[in-house]
Amino acid sequence: MRELSSFGLSGIISADEMRVIDKNADGWGISALQRMESAGTALASAVRDERPERVTIFCGTGNNAGDGFCAARHLANETDVVVFCVGDPKTPEARTQLAALAACPVTITKTITPDLFTSDVIVDALLGTGARADLKEPYADLVTRMNTSHARLIACDVPTPGCRADRIVAFHLAKTPGSEVYNIGIPLAAEVFCGEGDLLLIPKKPAGSHKGSGGTVLIVGGGPYQGAPFLAGVAALRAGADIVRVSSPAEGFAPDIIHDRLSGDHVCEAHRDHLISLAENADAVVCGPGLGTAAESLAVAAEVVEASEKAVVDADLLRQPLPHATGETIYTPHAGEFSRIFGAVPASLADRGAAVRTAAADFGGVILLKGEVDVISNGTRVRFNKTGASGMTTGGTGDVLAGCTGGLLARMPAMPAACAAAYAVGVTGADVCGDVGDGLLATDLLRHLAHTLYRES
């Protein structure tokens, strides 16, 4: 892991990035309760620095409150501690911390009284990184009272919106300027490797959604290879797209897909205007699966990408000059295709990461370099994915990945879509290979992909 340390995050990160890291840490054996214990210990240390005679810790109902409960327990035998609870904790980890705190010599209350605001130090553990600015009661009242108190105010990870903070004690990485960052033992791998946390960023279809809310995807390909565009199309549906159209000269039938049968035996100039019109009305386009290397097909497909707002460029279309969508583009080369476009693939994983990052920065877009360990970069951030199995070398698995990526791209930004797709397809392949071994078919992935993406964990 040391060789990958340069790919870790630094500076201020978003709430979504921290959600991903937290969930990925679970996969590396660092549980939410362990992280909470480390965070609460760090918070207690910061309070201890102030040498207070009396401390009030205001706790909400989420994991931020759990950090506060833990800090109160660590301070209980050193100073007078009062803990105010807005309500009952909603997470099992916070409930565990409150149960342990109840066995300590502290005052726990749900009643707002003036003396709560007269302590030497007040800890704001009300709301975490997902807090919204429009506070409801009693949060708004508590913030007003904390702001007018004479206490030193320490924010737990992030200040509650609108609340002043003399110190911000942040865990793992800063989420807001001016933070003091404390290491809580989250491994580097939780940042640089894709994991289950990446699936948290996939938007859920809200109640009342209608057909099309999950996105419309256009697949352009086929001709020499008949199955590829249909594998990609079903994968896009499994990834959550509502409407998928396969525009292809290939014969095929999939009842869930709109098959736009193109004339002739390959994509050609006669199809150009029709395909561009479809691309302009799609949320994402996947171009390349089964397309072949005919110059006319490549030229038309490249124009379709250029007319798209979002696109996944795959297979034979991965060649210079690379086409770019008007918005976001994801390129999904294997090692040979990457070498054809960008230069040789380095041997070491760290050098590979640097090469993909440079290529993405130079050419624009997100690159998902497929391999035993996938490398994904948007030119700034680099992520690695090591899910998968040896049985996935069978033909068509790359088409499933392209389609899954396109289905997610229709509903979310390119970098998280590529990371989620790579992880999910790899996990699905490993699960299926556990049953069928080297007999895995690309269609086997389609039956299980949605379960990987959308199961409750």
Side-chain angles (χ1 to χ4, degrees), residues 102-437:
C104 299
V106 301
T107 300
I108 302 174
T109 181
K110 291 183 179 180
T111 304
I112 300 175
T113 56
D115 64 302
L116 292 175
F117 305 92
T118 60
S119 294
D120 305 302
V121 170
I122 289 176
V123 175
D124 169 15
L126 287 172
L127 298 171
T129 54
R132 301 191 316 179
D134 53 334
L135 295 179
K136 297 180 180 179
E137 297 297 353
Y139 294 99
D141 179 55
L142 292 172
V143 166
T144 298
R145 290 174 179 245
M146 285 192 285
N147 284 342
T148 57
S149 75
H150 296 290
R152 287 277 289 173
L153 197 52
I154 298 178
C156 175
D157 209 22
V158 293
T160 296
C163 194
R164 70 175 177 87
D166 296 300
R167 295 174 65 182
I168 302 170
V169 176
F171 311 123
H172 186 64
L173 288 163
K175 294 87 185 175
T176 190
S179 300
E180 308 166 17
V181 178
Y182 289 78
N183 185 349
I184 58 171
I186 293 176
L188 174 66
E191 291 183 17
V192 300
F193 280 97
C194 300
E196 195 171 350
D198 290 272
L199 305 184
L200 297 177
L201 301 186
I202 301 173
K204 300 294 188 293
K205 295 179 184 178
S209 295
H210 54 82
K211 185 168 66 174
S213 298
T216 300
V217 177
L218 171 67
I219 313 289
V220 178
Y225 308 101
Q226 296 184 1
F230 294 96
L231 288 170
V234 177
L237 286 171
R238 290 298 193 185
D242 282 349
I243 301 172
V244 174
R245 184 188 306 270
V246 170
S247 291
S248 173
E251 295 287 355
F253 175 73
D256 300 293
I257 286 174
I258 301 170
H259 182 196
D260 178 37
R261 175 71 162 84
L262 303 178
S263 60
D265 60 2
H266 67 283
V267 175
C268 64
E269 181 64 28
H271 308 134
R272 175 186 175 278
D273 291 345
H274 171 65
L275 292 175
I276 287 177
S277 177
L278 293 176
E280 290 173 340
N281 289 284
D283 295 301
V285 175
V286 180
C287 270
L291 183 67
T293 58
E296 186 179 31
S297 298
L298 296 173
V300 171
E303 289 189 73
V304 172
V305 171
E306 299 283 354
S308 310
E309 181 180 351
K310 291 183 172 185
V312 176
V313 177
D314 185 52
D316 290 319
L317 194 54
L318 288 163
R319 60 186 69 241
Q320 291 283 21
L322 278 177
H324 291 74
T326 58
E328 295 184 291
T329 314
I330 300 175
Y331 303 97
T332 57
H334 55 56
E337 291 161 341
F338 185 92
S339 297
R340 182 172 71 206
I341 305 166
F342 306 110
V345 176
S348 80
L349 189 57
D351 288 344
R352 216 175 312 152
V356 173
R357 179 170 57 193
T358 297
D362 289 347
F363 288 85
V366 171
I367 296 174
L368 195 175
L369 172 60
K370 299 176 288 192
E372 183 178 0
V373 178
D374 305 318
V375 184
I376 307 138
S377 180
N378 58 1
T380 303
R381 183 102 191 261
V382 177
R383 302 287 302 286
F384 302 91
N385 174 61
K386 62 178 184 177
T387 62
S390 58
M392 294 179 70
T393 55
T394 187
T397 56
D399 302 311
V400 171
L401 176 59
C404 178
T405 305
L408 294 177
L409 181 62
R411 298 197 289 149
M412 60 193 296
M415 184 66 178
C419 292
Y423 173 79
V425 172
V427 166
T428 303
D431 288 345
V432 174
C433 279
D435 294 330
V436 302

